[in-house]
Amino acid sequence: MAGTLSFEQLKSQVAEGSIDTVLVCFVDMQGRLMGKRFHAANFVEHSHAETHCCNYLLATDLEMATPDGYASTSWQAGYGDYVMQPDLNTIRPMPWLEGTAMVLCDILDHHSHAPVSHDPRAVLKKQIAQLEALGFDAMMATELEFFLFEKSYDEIRKGGFRDLAPISGYNEDYHILQTTKEEGIMRPLRNHLYAAGIPVENTKGEAETGQEELNIRYAAALDCADHHTIAKHAVKEIAWARGHAASFLPKWAANKVGSSSHVHQSLWQGDTPAFHDAKDDLGMSELMKHYMAGLIAYAPDYTFFLAPYVNSYKRFAKGTFAPTKTVWSVDNRTAGFRLCGDGTKGVRVECRIGGSDLNPYLAQAAMLAAGIKGIEDKMVLAPPTKGDVYEDAKAADIPQTLRAATETLRGSAMLRAAMGDDVVDHYTRCAEWEQEEFDRAVTDWEIARGFERA
């Protein structure tokens, strides 16, 4: 949970006047930052201990509606408060906002001060604790893909989300000339995030018009999710400040490649890579094979956490580098799971199923739960698939619709045992509501609903 400012450093900067605002934030079900802007003097004097928010904020949708059917909160129960407890280890500057720092919060019950089980950070922390009890630490890295557009959010919204024009006119995958034209956004993004303590590695053009990728160095699982969330927020704010829009909608146009969020993962024991065995042909330890077997076998159970909206499933299309099958291969981008770094101490598995709209805390937690189950049951990993996995008729399909993924989530004994019935039921209701809203929707609903907010 590494920030770049200690609480004492924050107090000093507040006293000297270089910081006057503190964003006190938590992560909602959709993976967005919610919270309050505190006068910095008030925060360091009083509110660093706790503040409060309405409990509907962990039972809402992309448009901040208040769906019924949640056990945790409702109109009947009156929509009370949660406690937002700042994690003072996460204080960092927000260099793209003048005089501003931020801190992430954990969500607690207003009466008992116990963690709220469906708080995304709490969901991930539970799986990290389960893994630590087995003697391992999880290291993760996520890739953030998104589109930049010529116009601003306001212009696009007022235009009815029609005739969207990406910031470039051709596929810019690894293209230096085109990405030079976008440095007005991408250079400050890299530099501001780095100054905020986010270990940015690079940005690059992705395989579509106006599509970008941001890569952040691997980190402990909770840090990785924090980095992802802050970076995604920064992309939108920095693009907005320069008169452009950025969207993490996975499939904003049928004729465009979608945006993903691949998740790299490995387990360690201290400084020792627990996934590596130099004697194995691919450098994979037995532990890694068990973990991957669970990861793959239970992929249908947790697909909702990788693809949480109706639009998410439009990304799964043959020939677009988005997977359609839950099999693994060696350095093969047509499979749902790719072995990277084979034969080296950096050997790891990349899950390619997740879209750019995933909540990293929930996605990482679900995958850790599946991997832990694989380890505990000593599950056997099938041989890798070769060739064009899109054409592999024997390989199991990824759930192809939100409805299908909702049912596998609802019926997952593995996730219920790992996360708890209350958490699974909470997010099942979240999935149901998204489908219900779509079924009531009008043309272009997905884009209007998710363009800026996903």
Side-chain angles (χ1 to χ4, degrees):
M1 297 180 290
T4 59
L5 289 175
S6 69
F7 186 52
E8 293 303 316
Q9 288 172 323
L10 176 64
K11 288 196 289 186
S12 295
Q13 293 190 29
V14 172
E16 69 186 26
S18 58
I19 290 179
D20 57 57
T21 300
V22 179
L23 304 183
V24 180
C25 306
F26 69 95
V27 181
D28 73 358
M29 295 197 302
Q30 289 74 28
R32 303 172 297 186
L33 293 179
M34 297 287 162
K36 306 175 183 180
R37 281 177 154 84
F38 274 83
H39 192 287
N42 180 281
F43 178 80
V44 299
E45 292 170 9
H46 304 290
S47 300
H48 63 276
E50 66 177 51
T51 185
H52 299 81
C53 67
C54 179
N55 64 18
Y56 97 99
L57 290 167
L58 285 180
T60 186
D61 66 3
L62 280 170
E63 294 190 295
M64 308 299 289
T66 50
D68 60 9
Y70 284 106
S72 62
T73 186
S74 65
W75 289 111
Q76 184 178 11
Y79 286 112
D81 275 353
Y82 282 145
V83 172
M84 295 169 58
Q85 184 179 68
D87 178 349
L88 299 182
N89 291 312
T90 67
I91 301 170
R92 65 184 73 241
M94 300 287 266
W96 60 97
L97 298 175
E98 184 180 359
T100 302
M102 75 160 293
V103 65
L104 291 171
C105 296
D106 294 309
I107 300 298
L108 309 180
D109 181 89
H110 181 60
H111 301 288
S112 68
H113 272 59
V116 171
S117 61
H118 55 273
D119 166 25
R121 282 187 110 230
V123 173
L124 178 54
K125 283 183 174 182
K126 182 176 181 179
Q127 297 312 308
I128 291 171
Q130 297 275 39
L131 193 62
E132 288 175 346
L134 297 175
F136 301 104
D137 298 311
M139 302 298 288
M140 301 274 201
T142 56
E143 303 172 20
L144 288 82
E145 294 180 5
F146 55 94
F147 280 84
L148 293 176
F149 292 86
E150 285 183 350
K151 294 182 179 179
S152 69
Y153 287 120
D154 286 344
E155 291 172 310
I156 289 170
R157 183 176 61 254
K158 290 174 182 177
F161 298 93
R162 296 183 181 279
D163 302 319
L164 297 177
I167 201 168
S168 68
Y170 52 81
N171 182 325
E172 58 182 273
D173 201 18
Y174 293 93
H175 203 288
I176 295 298
L177 173 59
Q178 180 55 44
T179 52
T180 295
K181 303 173 189 177
E182 295 148 12
E183 278 287 81
I185 297 170
M186 302 307 292
R187 181 171 178 260
L189 174 65
R190 292 190 305 270
N191 290 335
H192 285 322
L193 285 174
Y194 193 83
I198 309 297
V200 170
E201 290 187 340
N202 60 68
T203 59
K204 60 177 282 292
E206 251 301 325
E208 192 45 271
T209 57
Q211 191 177 32
E212 316 289 340
E213 181 178 302
L214 169 65
N215 291 301
I216 299 170
R217 185 172 174 78
Y218 71 88
L222 187 61
D223 290 339
C224 173
D226 289 348
H227 295 164
H228 179 114
T229 302
I230 295 166
K232 186 173 178 180
H233 183 84
V235 166
K236 294 179 181 181
E237 289 195 336
I238 291 170
W240 166 81
R242 283 153 180 78
H244 296 281
S247 181
F248 288 82
L249 196 68
K251 193 76 169 178
W252 70 270
N255 63 342
K256 300 287 186 182
V257 169
S259 291
S260 68
S261 181
H262 303 149
V263 182
H264 296 251
Q265 49 204 290
S266 61
L267 301 187
W268 291 66
Q269 290 181 304
D271 295 329
T272 302
F275 272 11
H276 181 240
D277 182 353
K279 297 177 183 177
D280 183 79
D281 289 344
L282 293 172
M284 300 170 66
S285 67
E286 287 301 308
L287 180 92
M288 182 178 190
K289 293 174 184 178
H290 296 324
Y291 181 96
M292 283 182 59
L295 196 64
I296 294 167
Y298 291 108
D301 295 44
Y302 62 77
T303 295
F304 167 74
F305 291 121
L306 300 176
Y309 307 107
V310 169
N311 181 266
S312 310
Y313 295 82
K314 297 187 176 183
R315 178 179 145 263
F316 300 138
K318 176 182 175 181
T320 65
F321 291 101
T324 59
K325 308 285 186 177
T326 58
V327 294
W328 74 285
S329 63
V330 180
D331 198 17
N332 180 337
R333 286 179 167 84
T334 67
F337 298 89
R338 180 170 73 116
L339 184 71
C340 302
D342 55 286
T344 74
K345 291 182 179 180
V347 66
R348 62 195 183 279
V349 58
E350 173 195 44
C351 176
R352 297 180 59 80
I353 298 172
S356 52
D357 54 350
L358 61 73
N359 180 323
Y361 302 89
L362 300 175
Q364 290 178 209
M367 287 187 284
L368 285 176
I372 289 169
K373 182 65 172 171
I375 292 170
E376 291 176 338
D377 291 352
K378 292 183 167 42
M379 295 177 68
V380 177
L381 180 65
T385 299
K386 297 181 179 180
D388 185 353
V389 177
Y390 292 120
E391 301 296 337
D392 188 346
K394 295 180 181 179
D397 288 331
I398 296 166
Q400 294 298 298
T401 65
L402 179 59
R403 279 194 176 89
T406 303
E407 290 311 307
T408 55
L409 172 63
R410 187 197 316 277
S412 176
M414 183 276 292
L415 287 176
R416 288 184 178 277
M419 293 182 170
D421 287 335
D422 55 338
V423 173
V424 172
D425 289 341
H426 188 88
Y427 285 98
T428 297
R429 180 58 191 141
C430 177
E432 290 172 342
W433 177 258
E434 285 301 320
Q435 188 66 59
E436 291 166 15
E437 283 288 88
F438 179 79
D439 292 343
R440 289 190 288 267
V442 295
T443 304
D444 292 339
W445 174 87
E446 297 165 65
I447 296 178
R449 183 177 173 86
F451 183 86
E452 181 177 353
R453 295 181 283 277

